[in-house]
């Protein structure tokens, strides 16, 4: 391995002008033996620049993520390479700078996910052996490694395997860990005058607290329980610890002392929530210290995390009735509100600076819950926790403060506008109960308040007034409507909605962004009968100006990173397009122009996944409605969308914009599916060869979208594909997909499309190979999903006797592979697993398959006579719970995109979700169809079916089947 060239490629990968070519070259390099070890050599060598070493660590992490282990748990690297990595990685991570440590820590976490602890049982011993009594630098490295492994336990569900792993770690690590805690405490006392060393020791203590949380997150370790007195004593000691040498002069950046105290509160929160019995005797002491901290700490930003954690601890304490009782009197509550809640809930200068200087950051912190470590959110949660215990008393106390602040504002609105902000925020905090949902906002309200009346009396004027109102008060008013949107009637929204729309025209970034957020959520709001609160017709009237204005805000600064900055605007565009449906058709030229422009600009530098997700959902909604409502049927412009969208989409594919390609393939597929033309345009003909290249299918994110696109092309292009000898490349893709558990579902989707659209004569020479691959998977690496999809596939084939297939065709192919293989396959897999099919269409297909087997299979009539009886039993069992036709509700209304999670490589576009196609749409009453089909078949076969029924079935089965045939 040429380390010099590899180092150059890594350095080039950091250069925007060279990174694409460098990444391609690195992908070629990683195919060489020893690539991972070469990366670690570069990471370890100080002869390379810090950025190149960091790039190498990042490349190593990503390489390990892709190449450590296959789906079956086997190493993809050589055993020698795996062993060397494990031997070298721990020591290397301990020795490198912190920025590189984090990347190597992630890599260790990836390896540990698959190997720890049974295939890496020396790891804990290795870590313990490296701990020292007096070298904090080494200890910090060891603890970083340990934390990168043990933090994996935090979100996991309890299981025997997990507890075995945790106990393995505690048996080796527990005692040395507590010794390290004691040694660190002793060293802090002995080195109080050595500022650099003291900071290192507090960094060590901070990591010890993280590990203390890791080791306790699943269950209380017995070694901690046995030493709980000493542990809580140390926790309290450092909670009240003070040393000016640990202060940070920067008003915004927290110092080591704040991080340690925040870590202590995280541990206390865990213990009060899970192990209150162990912590219980000490709770009062920690509550008292928390109160002292909150009433003496400064308002500087650097203390925000510590204040937030302190308030979160008090929130957890007051959720327990016996501890909450300490706050159960009016005098105490007034003190809590005055000295703790109000100081942390009131706007500070730093908040206003954020509002003015970094508006998008202000919105995200305030709106999305990313501000869980901010004072305002923590103070609100503390107040709500108290409310859950003493609602009436606290409501009365808080109202006195609300009235006070509103009175102060009324005296001098211009200079005392912050008082109103505090009043509105306080009111919202005590009015809302329970969880605030993304779809409906606050659903449950405090019985002692009237949110609509408060809005009309105190808030609405800030929306109505066009001048003289502080922008933050405008935002407060919009957010109030957004929060309590489901509490307002349809009639009240008739008046309020235009006010929100009007504020999209504000010159203030936060105001118009909040207006977009509120408009989008209100447009998604439905009543109990699932009828929209704001009707389609009302939105259509506004849609032209509304969309033009939104697009204008998005495109105001054409730099890619600025266009993508505000995902809330694009989400609002998406929602308007979803709601107005066919109302977009008259606006086609304008909307299409804006969407194409945005696509072209952001494709040069994708930077905000949420923005471009909403952008492509907007494109999907637009394509869906324009196509469904007749644009393609217009003789003058049948290819309008294809002509406009193909150039930017083709550029994305040619430039290999990996973030966008899965979206583009989905949109290409939708354009084709929604085009009533039965032929392929030249655009799509040009796409066929590129999408059959294997490299395109190696990206997991591309596979679902490519299968959908290929499945849309094949029905229209099967003839050309046959002429161009493209069947074998398509089957090669099927072979690649079916070999992996990740893609087996998509393999079957593609296979069913192939069989449905290519003539049986063309596929005849391939059927044995196809079925052989499937049977090999069933024998060697069967999964529950694969087994069910195979059974569905069998019924799909068996039901298609009109295409020359059917049960006898499958039997013939199976017997060519191995004589006698069909019977055990049918009896042990196909029939039993048929009853496990869940989706209505799969069960319906099975009903058709089994019915046609009974009526038209020669093999079952003459050779497998017992099999005929078993098949009938399986059919009757299916008919006990007959498949019900799927609902035809609009999937866009039923599925809120906010509920989507963004996948690593593939996120399905909901607005163009592929509808399920029923091959038998007229078969609504399945039982009636079975009876009618069998009756007709009996006539066709001159009474043979009735004879089989009498001869082969039990009296009970015979009675049921005859009743169907007589219906």
């Amino acid at each position: 391995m040429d380390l010099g060239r590899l180092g150059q490629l890594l350095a080039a990968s950091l250069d925007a002008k060279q990174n694409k070519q460098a990444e391609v070259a690195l992908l070629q390099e990683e195919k060489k033996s020893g690539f991972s070890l070469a990366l670690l050599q570069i990471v370890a060598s100080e002869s390379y620049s810090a950025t190149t070493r960091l790039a190498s660590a990042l490349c190593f992490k990503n390489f390990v993520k892709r190449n450590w282990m296959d789906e079956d748990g086997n190493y993809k690297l050589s055993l020698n390479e795996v062993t060397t990595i494990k031997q070298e990685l721990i020591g290397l991570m301990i020795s490198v700078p912190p920025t590189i440590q984090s990347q190597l820590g992630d890599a260790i976490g990836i390896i540990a996910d698959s190997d720890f602890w049974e295939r890496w049982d020396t790891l804990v011993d290795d870590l313990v052996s490296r701990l020292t009594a007096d070298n904090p630098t080494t200890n910090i490295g060891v603890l970083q490694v340990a934390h990168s492994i043990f933090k994996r336990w935090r979100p996991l569900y309890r299981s025997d395997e997990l507890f075995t792993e945790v106990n393995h770690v505690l048996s080796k690590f527990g005692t040395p860990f507590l010794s390290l805690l004691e040694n660190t405490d002793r060293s802090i006392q002995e080195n109080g005058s050595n500022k650099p060393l003291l900071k290192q020791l507090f960094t060590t203590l901070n990591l010890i607290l993280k590990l203390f949380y890791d080791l306790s997150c699943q269950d209380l370790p017995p070694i901690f329980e046995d030493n709980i007195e000493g542990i809580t004593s140390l926790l309290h000691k450092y909670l009240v610890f003070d040393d000016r040498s640990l202060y940070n002069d920067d008003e915004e950046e927290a110092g080591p002392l704040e991080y340690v105290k925040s870590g202590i509160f995280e541990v206390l929160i865990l213990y009060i929530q899970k192990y209150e019995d162990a912590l219980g005797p000490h709770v009062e002491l920690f509550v008292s210290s928390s109160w002292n901290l909150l009433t003496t700490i400064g308002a500087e930003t650097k203390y925000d995390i510590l204040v937030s954690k302190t308030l979160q601890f008090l929130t957890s304490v007051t959720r327990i009735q016996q501890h909450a009782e300490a706050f159960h009197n009016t005098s105490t509550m007034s003190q809590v509100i005055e000295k703790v809640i109000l100081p942390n809930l009131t706007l500070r200068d730093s908040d206003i600076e954020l509002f003015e200087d970094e508006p998008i950051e202000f919105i995200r912190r305030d709106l999305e819950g990313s501000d869980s470590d901010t004072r305002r959110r923590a103070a609100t949660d503390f107040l709500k926790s108290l409310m859950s215990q003493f609602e009436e008393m606290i409501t009365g106390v808080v109202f006195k403060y609300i009235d006070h602040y509103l009175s102060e504002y009324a005296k001098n609105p211009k200079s005392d506008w912050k008082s109103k902000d505090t009043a509105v925020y306080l009111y919202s905090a005590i009015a809302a109960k329970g969880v605030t949902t993304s779809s409906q906002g606050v659903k449950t309200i405090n019985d002692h308040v009237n949110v609509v009346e408060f809005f009309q009396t105190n808030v609405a004027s800030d929306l109505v007034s066009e001048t003289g109102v502080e922008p933050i008060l405008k935002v407060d008013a919009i957010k109030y409507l957004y929060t309590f949107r489901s509490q307002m009637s349809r009639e009240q929204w008739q008046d309020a909605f235009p006010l929100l729309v009007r504020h999209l025209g504000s010159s203030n970034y936060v105001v118009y962004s909040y207006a977009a957020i509120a408009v989008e959520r209100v447009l998604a709001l439905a009543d109990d009968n699932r009828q929209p609160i704001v009707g389609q017709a009302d939105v259509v009237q506004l849609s032209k100006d509304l969309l033009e204005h939104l697009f204008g805000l998005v495109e105001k600064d054409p730099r890619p990173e600025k266009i993508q900055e505000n995902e809330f605007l694009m989400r609002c565009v998406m929602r308007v397009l979803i709601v107005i449906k066919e109302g977009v058709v008259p606006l086609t030229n304008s909307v299409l122009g804006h969407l194409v422009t945005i696509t072209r600009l952001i494709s040069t530098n994708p930077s905000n996944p949420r923005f471009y997700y909403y952008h492509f959902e907007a494109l999907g909604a637009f394509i869906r409605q324009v196509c469904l409502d007749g644009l393609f049927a217009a003789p003058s412009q049948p290819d309008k969308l294809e002509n406009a969208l193909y150039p930017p989409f083709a550029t994305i594919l040619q430039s290999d914009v990996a973030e966008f390609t899965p979206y583009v393939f989905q949109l290409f597929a939708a354009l084709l599916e929604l085009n009533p033309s039965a032929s392929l345009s030249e655009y799509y003909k040009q796409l066929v060869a590129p999408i059959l290249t294997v490299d395109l299918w190696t990206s997991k994110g591309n596979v679902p979208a490519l299968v959908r696109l290929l499945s849309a092309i094949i029905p229209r292009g099967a003839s050309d594909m046959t002429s161009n000898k493209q069947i074998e490349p398509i089957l090669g893709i099927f072979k690649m997909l079916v070999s992996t558990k990740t893609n087996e579902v998509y393999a079957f989707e593609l296979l069913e499309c192939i069989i449905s659209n290519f003539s049986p004569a063309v596929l005849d020479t391939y059927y044995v190979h196809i079925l052989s691959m499937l049977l090999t998977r069933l024998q060697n690496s069967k999964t529950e999903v694969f087994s069910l999809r195979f059974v569905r596939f069998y019924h799909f084939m068996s039901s298609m006797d009109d295409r020359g297939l059917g049960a006898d065709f499958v039997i013939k192919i199976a017997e060519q592979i191995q004589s006698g293989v069909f019977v055990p396959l049918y009896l042990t897999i196909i029939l039993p697993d048929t009853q496990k099919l869940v989706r209505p269409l799969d069960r319906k297909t099975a009903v058709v398959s089994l019915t046609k087997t009974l009526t038209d299979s020669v093999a079952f009539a003459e050779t497998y006579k017992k099999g005929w009886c078993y098949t009938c039993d399986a059919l009757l069992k299916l008919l006990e719970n007959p498949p019900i036709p799927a609902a035809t509700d609009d999937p866009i209304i039923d599925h809120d995109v906010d509920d989507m999670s963004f996948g690593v490589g593939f996120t399905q576009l909901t607005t163009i979700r592929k509808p399920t196609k029923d091959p038998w749409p007229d078969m609504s009453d399945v039982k009636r169809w079975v009876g009618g089909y069998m009756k007709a078949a009996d006539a066709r076969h001159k009474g043979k079916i009735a004879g089989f029924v009498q001869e082969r079935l039990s009296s009970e089965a015979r009675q049921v089947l005859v009743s169907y045939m007589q219906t």
Side-chain angles (χ1 to χ4, degrees), residues 252-313:
E252 295 187 359
E253 184 64 35
L257 194 57
E258 287 77 52
Y259 283 120
V260 163
K261 291 185 178 184
S262 298
I264 291 170
F265 277 118
E266 286 194 4
V267 168
L268 292 174
I269 291 165
L270 173 70
Y271 270 62
I272 195 69
Q273 290 175 348
K274 295 193 69 170
Y275 318 120
E276 193 268 334
D277 288 346
L279 190 64
H282 311 279
V283 169
E284 188 175 335
L285 178 64
F286 285 113
V287 168
S288 175
S289 299
S290 301
W291 177 267
N292 292 335
L293 187 152
L294 289 171
T295 54
T296 58
I297 201 165
E300 294 86 351
T301 307
K302 65 181 178 181
Y303 299 124
D304 283 3
I305 293 177
L306 176 54
V307 170
S308 173
K309 295 297 182 188
T310 311
L311 287 166
Q312 288 173 33
F313 169 66

Side-chain angles (χ1 to χ4, degrees), residues 665-711:
F665 290 138
Q666 289 180 78
L667 292 167
F668 266 139
L671 278 167
L672 199 53
E673 291 160 356
L674 292 164
N675 188 340
S677 169
S679 61
L680 281 181
S681 69
E682 285 303 313
Y683 288 138
Y684 284 99
K685 288 180 181 179
Q686 293 172 28
L687 273 179
V688 174
I691 67 173
L692 293 181
T693 57
V694 173
D695 286 348
L696 205 56
W697 294 78
T698 56
S699 169
K700 292 180 182 178
N702 284 343
V703 169
L706 279 170
V707 167
R708 180 177 177 182
L709 176 56
L710 195 51
S711 298

Side-chain angles (χ1 to χ4, degrees), residues 509-781:
Y509 188 103
V510 181
V511 173
Y512 69 66
S513 298
Y514 258 97
I517 291 163
V519 165
E520 190 277 329
R521 288 290 78 195
V522 173
L523 290 180
L525 188 63
D527 62 20
D528 293 339
N529 297 316
R530 302 181 71 193
Q531 296 303 306
I533 293 296
V534 179
Q536 178 189 359
D538 296 329
V539 185
V540 169
Q541 293 175 9
L542 305 168
S543 59
K544 181 180 179 182
D545 293 338
L546 183 55
L547 286 169
E548 279 297 327
H549 186 69
L550 286 167
F551 281 125
L553 292 172
V554 171
E555 299 169 29
K556 186 164 31 174
D557 186 333
R559 289 175 295 171
E561 66 276 12
K562 293 303 290 183
I563 283 182
Q564 297 170 81
E565 178 182 74
N566 194 330
E567 66 267 23
F568 307 109
L569 296 174
M570 184 49 69
R571 181 172 179 171
C572 192
V573 169
M574 174 203 73
R575 183 63 59 187
V576 171
L577 291 173
I578 288 173
V579 169
I580 64 174
K581 295 186 177 181
E582 68 278 3
V584 76
V585 174
L587 312 176
T588 294
N589 290 339
S590 170
V591 173
L592 183 58
H594 285 296
L595 292 173
V596 167
T597 296
I598 294 169
T599 303
R600 180 173 52 80
L601 290 171
I602 67 174
S603 65
T604 61
N605 182 24
S607 58
N608 183 348
R610 283 191 172 272
F611 179 92
Y612 55 74
Y613 167 69
Y614 293 132
H615 169 68
F616 286 115
E617 285 283 19
L619 258 170
F622 173 72
I623 288 169
R624 186 174 188 269
Q625 296 308 333
V626 168
C627 293
L628 284 178
D629 288 287
L631 183 63
F632 273 110
S636 60
Q637 44 184 318
D639 301 320
K640 187 180 190 71
L641 296 190
E642 282 185 21
N643 290 337
L645 293 171
Y646 190 86
F649 284 1
T651 300
I652 288 168
L653 299 181
Q654 290 161 7
S655 304
D656 191 24
V657 185
E659 298 91 338
F660 287 5
T661 49
Y663 293 126
V664 167
F665 290 138
Q666 289 180 78
L667 292 167
F668 266 139
L671 278 167
L672 199 53
E673 291 160 356
L674 292 164
N675 188 340
S677 169
S679 61
L680 281 181
S681 69
E682 285 303 313
Y683 288 138
Y684 284 99
K685 288 180 181 179
Q686 293 172 28
L687 273 179
V688 174
I691 67 173
L692 293 181
T693 57
V694 173
D695 286 348
L696 205 56
W697 294 78
T698 56
S699 169
K700 292 180 182 178
N702 284 343
V703 169
L706 279 170
V707 167
R708 180 177 177 182
L709 176 56
L710 195 51
S711 298
I713 289 174
I714 288 173
R716 296 163 173 81
S719 178
D720 287 342
M721 289 174 155
T722 303
S723 303
N724 295 332
K725 302 188 185 309
Q726 289 172 322
I727 293 177
E728 288 195 7
I730 295 172
L731 289 172
I733 288 166
F734 159 73
K735 181 179 179 181
M736 181 175 69
L737 298 181
V738 82
S739 66
T740 66
K741 296 173 184 176
T742 305
N743 294 320
E744 58 194 19
V745 169
Y746 305 112
F748 279 107
E749 286 183 15
L750 180 59
L751 181 59
E752 290 177 9
C753 177
I754 292 167
I755 292 172
S756 296
N757 292 284
F758 288 103
S759 72
V762 169
L763 294 175
D764 191 55
T765 57
Y766 303 107
Y767 277 119
V768 169
H769 185 55
I770 290 169
L771 188 56
S772 180
M773 280 192 288
L774 298 179
L775 294 181
T776 300
R777 265 296 311 268
L778 274 176
Q779 183 176 3
N780 297 335
S781 54

Side-chain angles (χ1 to χ4, degrees), residues 449-478:
V449 304
N450 185 325
V451 293
V452 174
E453 181 183 301
F454 185 84
F455 173 76
Q456 293 169 339
T457 306
N458 300 294
V459 181
S461 58
D462 293 332
L463 281 180
V464 174
S465 301
E466 297 193 13
T467 59
V469 178
E470 277 290 326
I472 287 183
L473 293 184
K474 291 271 188 190
V475 169
D476 288 343
I478 295 168

